[in-house]
Amino acid sequence: MRKIAIGASVVALAIVGVVTDTVTAPEVSAVECVQNVGKWEAFNKCAGVPARHWDAIKNSASQYGNWASAGQWSRQSSCWANVVSYGYSLKA
C-alpha cells in the first residue's frame, strides 16, 4: 500500500510539472503573429498584444525599438554596430 501511495505522489508531481510548463510556454499563435523580424524591425500582427523589436549588442546593453500595436512596425532608432542577435518580445 505504501508503494502505491508513493507512486501516486510521483505521478501527481509529474502531472503538475507538465501543466506548469504548458502554462508558461508561449502559444504558437502568439509567436506566429509577429512577422518580418529582421535586424532593424519587426511587424506586429498580434491583436491586443504589443510587440517590441530588440538588438543584442556585443559588450553593450541591448537596444529596443518602440512598442508596436497590431498592424504597426517596431523599429530601431539607429543602426547599431556589433549586433550579435535580434528578435522581438511580446508585452505580458
Side-chain angles (χ1 to χ4, degrees):
M1 186 70 156
R2 188 174 198 180
K3 287 183 181 179
I4 293 172
I6 291 171
S9 297
V10 170
V11 170
L13 287 173
I15 291 171
V16 169
V18 170
V19 170
T20 302
D21 289 343
T22 304
V23 171
T24 57
E27 293 183 26
V28 173
S29 60
V31 174
E32 294 174 348
C33 65
V34 175
Q35 296 181 338
N36 301 327
V37 180
K39 198 171 187 177
W40 316 116
E41 61 190 6
F43 184 74
N44 184 8
K45 291 179 53 177
C46 304
V49 182
R52 167 169 82 167
H53 184 273
W54 53 263
D55 285 332
I57 313 295
K58 184 178 181 177
N59 298 324
S60 187
S62 295
Q63 298 295 322
Y64 298 90
N66 56 296
W67 284 107
S69 299
Q72 296 179 343
W73 287 90
S74 174
R75 292 191 169 106
Q76 293 292 323
S77 61
S78 282
C79 175
W80 306 106
N82 299 322
V83 173
V84 293
S85 65
Y86 57 85
Y88 66 91
S89 301
L90 298 175
K91 199 170 203 176

